[in-house]
Amino acid sequence: MTVEGPGRLVGPDNGDSTDYDSYKGESRRLFSGKPLAVVASAAEAGDVVVRAVSPGLRSGELGLTSVPPLPANGGDDEITLYGIGSAAPLETGPNTMEVQAADIPVRKLEILCPEGNRPHPDQRSIPIRVRLHPADAAYPDVQWRITNAAGVDANIATLQTNGHEAVVTALGDGNVYIRCATNNGSDKIKLYAQMELQIAGLGQAHLNPYEFVSAGYHSEASRNLTNGNERGVATARDEESRIVFEKVDFGSYGADEIALPVFSLDGEAFPIEIWEGIPGEQGAERLSTVTYQKPSRWNVYQEATYRLPRRLQGITSLSFVLRRKIHLKGFQFNMAEKAYARLSALENDRIYGDSFTLADEAVENIGNNVSLVFEDMDFGERGSAKLVLCGHSPSANNTLHLLFSGPEGESKQIVEFAYSDGYREREFDLERIAGAQTVTFVFLPGSHFHLKWFQFR
């Protein structure tokens, strides 16, 4: 394209949102057989001729007329327009006005993976870049996210960002999506691009039930679900729906109190079956059928808390079964304070030694250097200085050694449990113990002690 006479070519365009060539130039490819030229007049009057030529096509031209502007103050002030690309001002007598180049929006965000898009065990972290088109766009700031297919922040990879660059670190197998967005000068996202990353060879990442678990993390074992409000899930209206979460890591002690944020379309009571495992598969157990009922508030999740009949422990699956339409945002368990719970002697993480008997409710006939180990005992900052033991000592005095092992080292304390003719509760003062600890009860040879439960206070 060329312009002759008192005018200039500001830039060509074609209306194609996938064409990322710069607006500045004299040529543009056609889109649907048509180009666009933006032409500005010069300060003087005259005839302007716009010509368009292309190899293999008939050339064309268009005649325009440039009309001089009226003086700003009705006088004979000289008006001077500087050339394209100059930062000089447009002068009108004593008044000066800056000529600002039009804001050039981002037309495309191009996500690049220079080392591929498949993290694996030998390369868990890969670099990501974004390239803006056109390169001289006026709004270079971008926003990054890493999500699953439902748009929920991913739990199988992390993302560290630095401007137009980022690093993805894989944590578990699955597909994630890198999303890069621009507001293009507004207060909302106007344009974004995404790139799928496929992670394999690391194994399935675990879900942490003590942080909020979005319903968007449900597994492929789920049935009859659609997308719900706020990246939750919606169950079917007239069929049985199953919401399954696999690889949930409750830790060695576990938890039994669950909170469910639910949006129900009405205020009627309805049941929710809570299962450990996947219904219909071997080993699955229905833990409880709870009832949800709250006055409905449109598009608002309202939380209900339930106590299960037993703690869920270790890595397991959790399922919810419903037979009516609701929206479930997710779930979260309240972490039980193992260090301050009443713990049965049978709940030990390890027991070893030459002489002991595992009874229905206690460890009995303990002796000959037996050790009971209880891990993951977090006493927090406040700590504990009291211990209650429920035990039975057939001898006059039983000496128990308590070993505490934590990040700051080991310590040992001793308590003496006097003779009892049956199980008795005895309270002992301790030197304050705080923080994360492994607690080991060590019994001396010949003690023949019986331990039912204990509790730190």
Side-chain angles (χ1 to χ4, degrees), residues 70-329:
L70 295 175
N73 299 315
D76 297 328
D77 298 324
E78 180 182 2
I79 300 176
T80 304
L81 180 65
Y82 292 82
I84 301 174
S86 172
L90 176 67
E91 298 177 350
T92 60
N95 301 317
T96 300
M97 178 178 65
E98 292 285 341
V99 176
Q100 299 289 345
D103 286 344
I104 301 175
V106 178
R107 297 287 296 278
K108 179 188 178 183
L109 297 159
E110 183 182 7
I111 298 176
L112 305 172
C113 301
E115 297 182 18
N117 65 340
R118 295 175 180 268
H120 51 82
D122 295 330
Q123 187 181 11
R124 289 175 175 259
S125 299
I126 60 171
I128 307 289
R129 294 202 306 267
V130 65
R131 180 183 295 164
L132 306 188
H133 297 275
D136 58 349
Y139 307 104
D141 293 340
V142 296
Q143 304 168 35
W144 293 90
R145 281 186 69 206
I146 183 166
T147 74
N148 63 11
V152 179
D153 291 339
N155 70 316
I156 61 173
T158 61
L159 182 68
Q160 292 182 314
T161 65
N162 182 20
H164 289 183
E165 298 182 349
V167 175
V168 175
T169 300
L171 304 176
D173 291 353
N175 293 354
V176 296
Y177 297 83
I178 300 297
R179 299 174 185 244
C180 190
T182 175
N183 288 8
N184 256 342
S186 74
D187 57 355
K188 296 180 180 179
I189 290 176
K190 295 296 184 182
L191 184 70
Y192 82 93
Q194 74 175 25
M195 168 74 71
E196 182 179 9
L197 304 185
Q198 300 174 351
I199 308 171
L202 302 181
Q204 185 174 342
H206 299 158
L207 297 175
N208 180 2
Y210 306 117
E211 297 176 352
F212 181 73
V213 178
S214 168
Y217 293 145
H218 71 87
S219 77
E220 294 181 357
S222 301
R223 297 288 184 271
N224 294 327
L225 301 179
T226 55
N227 293 334
N229 298 341
E230 299 179 33
R231 300 191 177 96
V233 296
T235 56
R237 189 177 300 276
D238 299 317
E239 299 179 78
E240 180 179 284
S241 295
R242 178 193 304 168
I243 312 170
V244 179
F245 301 88
E246 298 185 65
K247 297 280 187 177
V248 186
D249 188 355
F250 288 92
S252 61
Y253 186 62
D256 60 3
E257 188 175 82
I258 185 173
L260 300 176
V262 173
F263 161 48
S264 178
L265 280 63
D266 56 49
E268 296 181 3
F270 61 88
I272 303 175
E273 294 180 12
I274 303 178
W275 290 68
E276 181 177 14
I278 302 174
E281 295 191 2
Q282 184 176 3
E285 176 189 353
R286 184 171 61 187
L287 298 170
S288 181
T289 299
V290 300
T291 299
Y292 182 93
Q293 183 177 28
K294 289 182 180 294
S296 180
R297 297 174 60 192
W298 188 251
N299 283 346
V300 174
Y301 287 101
Q302 299 182 77
E303 188 174 286
T305 301
Y306 304 98
R307 178 82 65 180
L308 301 179
R310 62 175 174 83
R311 294 195 310 275
L312 293 172
Q313 297 172 281
I315 299 171
T316 187
S317 296
L318 184 67
S319 301
F320 304 94
V321 177
L322 294 106
R323 296 173 180 85
R324 61 171 286 154
K325 185 174 181 64
I326 67 157
H327 292 242
L328 178 67
K329 189 175 183 179

Side-chain angles (χ1 to χ4, degrees), residues 317-359:
S317 296
L318 184 67
S319 301
F320 304 94
V321 177
L322 294 106
R323 296 173 180 85
R324 61 171 286 154
K325 185 174 181 64
I326 67 157
H327 292 242
L328 178 67
K329 189 175 183 179
F331 71 89
Q332 183 170 358
F333 276 78
N334 293 327
M335 179 180 289
E337 290 187 301
K338 180 181 180 180
Y340 295 103
R342 177 181 291 190
L343 295 175
S344 166
L346 297 171
E347 292 183 275
N348 64 81
D349 292 284
R350 294 189 305 279
I351 182 170
Y352 54 89
D354 295 334
S355 176
F356 59 86
T357 302
L358 301 180

